[in-house]
Amino acid sequence: MRYFKLITNSLVLFLSFSTVLIAQEPTKVTLSLDKDAPVISKHIYGHFAEHLGRCIYEGFYVGENSTIPNSDGVRKDIINALKELNIPNLRWPGGCFADTYHWMDGIGPKEDRPTIVNTWWGGVTEDNSFGTHNFLNLCEELGAEPYLSGNVGSGGVQELADWVQYTNFKGKSPMSDLRRENGREEPWTVKYWGIGNEAWGCGGNMRAEYYADIYRKYATFMSGADVEGGIYKIASGASDDDYHWTEVLMKNIPKSMLQGVALHHYTVIDWSNKGPDIDFDEETYFRSMQESWLMDELITKHVAVMDKYDEKKEVDLIVDEWGGWYDVEEGTNPGFLYQQNTMRDAMIAGMNLNIFNNHADRVKMANLAQAVNVLQAVILTDEEKMILTPTYHVMNMYKVHQDATLIPLSFNSPEYTFKDESLPALNISASVDKNNKTHLSMTNIDSKKEHVVTIDVNELKIKNVSGEILSSDSLQDHNSFNEPNKITPKNFKDFKFKKGVLEVAIPPFSVIVLEAQ
Ligand code: AHR
C-alpha cells in the first residue's frame, strides 16, 4: 500500500512537472510564403477626425492667430507627429456629425459663416471656422488622402454632388468657380467618399433596404469623371454583427456603384457602463480583450456574406471606425468623449492591426477613432502641450506593414486565462516590403504570462534581426502631460536566432515588431 502511494505521488509529481514543461513549450509559428498573398493596403493605417469635443477645435485647429505654432491654424506639432506615422488617409467631418454638416457653411470668409449647434456632441456652438479648405489643405500638407463623409441624413443629393464638383472639377462650373473665388485654383481631387454614416442610427435610423435605394440615388449623381479610375464610394456599413445589413447592401447595390462597404466595431464592454479609462480591474481588461478579439470573427463573417455576392473580391471592406471606448475622463464633458490611453489601448491597437493585416485580401481601409483628444486617440493636447499615446507608438511601430505583401501564418496560440474563461494570448502578422525586409508584429495580451514563439525563417535567407518593444510595468500605465514619455518603444533583444529559427520571448501585455533582412 505504502509502495503504491509512493508510485502515485511520484506520478502526480511527474505529471504536474511535465504539465509545466508542456505549458512552457514554445509556440511554433509557420509562415507560408504564398506568391499570391495580398498587399496590406497602407489605408488600413488610416485615421478619423470628427467635429467632436476637442478633436478639431483645441486639437488640430487652434486658429491662425494662436501663439501655438501652426500652419494655417493647424498645430505644427500634430502635423509633424502624424507625418511621422506616414498617415495614409484622414476621414472627416464625422461620424454622426457628418449627417448634420452642410459643407457650404464652412467655405468663404470666416466672419460670414453661419453657426450651427453640434447636436450630437455636447450641444456646443460650431462656428464653422474649420471647413473644406482647411481640411483638404491639411491633408495635402500631411501627404494623406482625404476621405470625406457626405451628409445623407439631413443633406441632399444636389448638396453632395456639388461638394464633389467643388473639390474635384478642374474646368469651369458654378462650383469650381466658387472654389476659385475662395482662393483655390486647382482642385484637390478627392477620391474617397462616404455616402452617409451609420445610416442605421445617427445617420437617419434607416432600414437596410431603404438605405440601399438611397445610396444608389446619391451615388448616381456623384461624378467620378475628374479622378483617375473614378471616385471610390463607400456605403455606410453595419454595426458589429448586423450581417443582414451587409447582405442587403451587397445584394441590392450594383458593384459598379460600390467600391467599399463599411463596418463599425468598438471595443466597448457595455454601452451603459463602459468602465474607467485608467483604473480598470483585470476582469474589465479581460472583457475589453474579448470585445477586441471579436473584430476577427466580425470581419470573417461579414466577408463570408460579401463573398456570396462578390467572389472576385471587387468590393472592399472598410472598417472606418474602430478602437476602445470607455467612460469619459472624470471632470470632462460627457459629450466630448475624452479618455486617457493606457497599455490596454496598446493591446487593442496591436491586436486590431494584426487582424486587419491578416484579412488584407478584403479589408482595404480602416480608421482609428479618433486622431486627437477623442476616444482611442493617438495624440492628446492640453493647451500648448501635446503627448503621444501608447496607441501612437503601436501605429508607428506597425507602419512598416503599409503596402507590404502579407506573409500568411498559422499557429496555435497559448491561452490567456481569467477565472474559467480564456482567449488566445497571442496575435501576430507578418509582411515583406519592397526592399525585401520582413516584419513580424506580435502582441501578447496575457496580463501575467510571457509566451515564447519559434519561427522558422530559413526560406527567407535572413542574416540580421532587430526589434522594438512597447511594454510597461502595469496595464494601467499611460503617458501624461507630467510624464509624457513613460511609455515609448525600446530596443528589443530578447530573441535568439539560430540555424534560421527565431525564438522570441514576448513579455506579458507587450507589443513587439521585428525586422529581419
Ligand atoms: O466616433 C464617435 C462616434 O461613434 C461617431 O460619430 C459615430 O459614427 C459612432 O457611433
Side-chain angles (χ1 to χ4, degrees):
M1 188 64 183
R2 256 187 84 189
Y3 179 65
F4 175 73
K5 210 166 174 190
L6 202 73
I7 293 185
T8 340
N9 282 349
S10 329
L11 199 66
V12 168
L13 246 175
F14 170 76
L15 279 177
S16 45
F17 181 62
S18 53
T19 318
V20 171
L21 278 184
I22 289 165
Q24 287 175 343
E25 189 75 0
T27 297
K28 194 174 162 198
V29 178
T30 309
L31 305 180
S32 62
L33 296 164
D34 174 357
K35 292 224 164 42
D36 298 325
V39 166
I40 297 172
S41 166
K42 65 177 179 181
H43 290 295
I44 281 177
Y45 291 80
H47 290 268
F48 172 32
E50 181 165 9
H51 285 234
L52 192 177
R54 296 189 306 113
C55 182
I56 297 293
Y57 303 111
E58 288 183 47
F60 276 95
Y61 185 70
V62 285
E64 291 78 354
N65 301 324
S66 171
T67 52
I68 299 173
N70 65 80
S71 169
D72 288 335
V74 178
R75 290 179 72 127
K76 282 195 170 150
D77 50 4
I78 292 187
I79 292 177
N80 291 336
L82 292 177
K83 273 185 172 171
E84 172 65 25
L85 285 186
N86 292 349
I87 175 176
N89 69 69
L90 188 57
R91 178 175 184 245
W92 178 82
C96 295
F97 180 77
D99 282 293
T100 60
Y101 184 63
H102 299 286
W103 68 271
M104 281 208 174
D105 292 348
I107 56 169
K110 293 207 178 190
E111 58 282 9
D112 297 343
R113 296 185 191 174
T115 54
I116 58 162
V117 178
N118 190 332
T119 45
W120 286 111
W121 307 116
V124 292
T125 303
E126 158 70 58
D127 68 2
N128 281 302
S129 53
F130 187 90
T132 298
H133 289 246
N134 305 75
F135 176 69
L136 296 177
N137 292 344
L138 165 64
C139 287
E140 270 185 353
E141 194 158 355
L142 290 170
E145 293 266 2
Y147 167 12
L148 292 177
S149 259
N151 180 347
V152 168
S154 69
V157 178
Q158 186 64 51
E159 185 180 352
L160 188 48
D162 283 348
W163 206 11
V164 177
Q165 193 181 90
Y166 187 88
T167 58
N168 287 359
F169 191 61
K170 209 177 166 93
K172 191 175 162 47
S173 80
M175 288 301 119
S176 57
D177 284 350
L178 186 57
R179 181 188 71 229
R180 284 184 201 100
E181 247 172 62
N182 290 327
R184 173 80 188 197
E185 178 62 38
E186 290 300 313
W188 292 276
T189 322
V190 178
K191 181 178 169 89
Y192 296 99
W193 292 86
I195 301 189
N197 168 74
E198 298 195 347
W200 40 264
C202 64
N205 282 307
M206 304 177 210
R207 290 172 308 111
E209 292 75 7
Y210 179 72
Y211 172 69
D213 281 348
I214 289 272
Y215 177 98
R216 292 164 60 129
K217 183 161 143 186
Y218 272 76
T220 304
F221 295 97
M222 294 167 72
S223 167
D226 310 301
V227 178
E228 216 187 298
I231 57 173
Y232 185 105
K233 299 184 214 83
I234 301 168
S236 161
S239 169
D240 305 304
D241 60 356
D242 185 354
Y243 303 112
H244 171 74
W245 186 275
T246 302
E247 176 117 34
V248 172
L249 264 45
M250 291 301 295
K251 194 172 172 179
N252 294 299
I253 304 174
K255 273 193 234 125
S256 58
M257 289 184 154
L258 182 66
Q259 284 68 52
V261 169
L263 166 67
H264 288 181
H265 171 61
Y266 283 98
T267 294
V268 58
I269 57 171
D270 176 354
W271 283 106
S272 53
N273 182 15
K274 302 182 202 77
D277 54 348
I278 300 174
D279 295 322
F280 52 88
D281 57 16
E282 166 127 30
E283 165 140 26
T284 307
Y285 171 70
F286 186 85
R287 300 276 160 250
S288 296
M289 292 303 103
Q290 246 171 355
E291 280 299 318
S292 200
W293 257 127
L294 202 56
M295 183 64 93
D296 193 45
E297 178 185 322
L298 294 172
I299 291 177
T300 306
K301 291 187 175 169
H302 281 287
V303 167
V305 174
M306 294 173 82
D307 285 347
K308 264 171 60 183
Y309 300 93
D310 172 33
E311 57 182 27
K312 289 195 198 140
K313 297 192 190 292
E314 288 168 337
V315 180
D316 303 330
L317 185 62
I318 307 293
V319 188
D320 57 13
E321 288 187 29
W322 68 274
W325 191 327
Y326 322 113
D327 287 338
V328 296
E329 182 88 339
E330 230 175 87
T332 64
N333 186 329
F336 281 13
L337 310 186
Y338 178 79
Q339 62 191 41
Q340 246 297 354
N341 197 291
T342 66
M343 283 305 293
R344 167 173 61 175
D345 296 274
M347 297 300 104
I348 294 172
M351 180 196 294
N352 278 276
L353 293 171
N354 278 335
I355 292 171
F356 300 148
N357 287 347
N358 286 324
H359 285 281
D361 60 339
R362 185 70 94 164
V363 176
K364 299 290 180 186
M365 187 191 279
N367 304 76
L368 175 67
Q370 298 193 3
V372 182
N373 292 333
V374 170
L375 300 176
Q376 193 177 340
V378 287
I379 291 168
L380 300 177
T381 65
D382 179 12
E383 300 191 342
E384 77 290 351
K385 294 186 204 141
M386 182 203 85
I387 57 172
L388 307 176
T389 65
T391 301
Y392 177 93
H393 294 303
V394 174
M395 288 285 237
N396 206 17
M397 289 163 74
Y398 274 53
K399 71 183 177 194
V400 288
H401 290 302
Q402 291 190 19
D403 282 342
T405 303
L406 180 75
I407 303 180
L409 47 80
S410 56
F411 65 98
N412 282 325
S413 175
E415 291 188 335
Y416 161 36
T417 305
F418 174 74
K419 294 188 178 160
D420 53 357
E421 292 176 87
S422 60
L423 289 169
L426 300 179
N427 56 84
I428 306 177
S429 68
S431 68
V432 57
D433 71 11
K434 289 184 186 97
N435 302 317
N436 226 17
K437 287 184 184 163
T438 298
H439 295 101
L440 283 145
S441 48
M442 306 183 258
T443 299
N444 176 11
I445 62 165
D446 200 315
S447 64
K448 295 178 220 66
K449 283 194 201 149
E450 166 184 283
H451 293 286
V452 179
V453 295
T454 58
I455 312 150
D456 187 333
V457 289
N458 267 299
E459 271 191 78
L460 295 167
K461 312 231 176 325
I462 277 158
K463 290 194 181 73
N464 293 311
V465 184
S466 58
E468 276 198 316
I469 182 166
L470 194 77
S471 62
S472 199
D473 296 337
S474 111
L475 267 167
Q476 291 74 12
D477 282 352
H478 54 277
N479 291 336
S480 64
F481 293 99
N482 293 330
E483 214 181 340
N485 296 316
K486 187 178 175 68
I487 302 170
T488 52
K490 307 272 174 340
N491 206 349
F492 176 71
K493 292 208 169 105
D494 200 6
F495 58 83
K496 295 175 197 146
F497 184 42
K498 260 194 234 151
K499 294 189 180 156
V501 177
L502 259 169
E503 182 175 305
V504 192
I506 316 171
F509 57 93
S510 67
V511 178
I512 292 171
V513 174
L514 293 182
E515 179 168 288
Q517 53 182 320

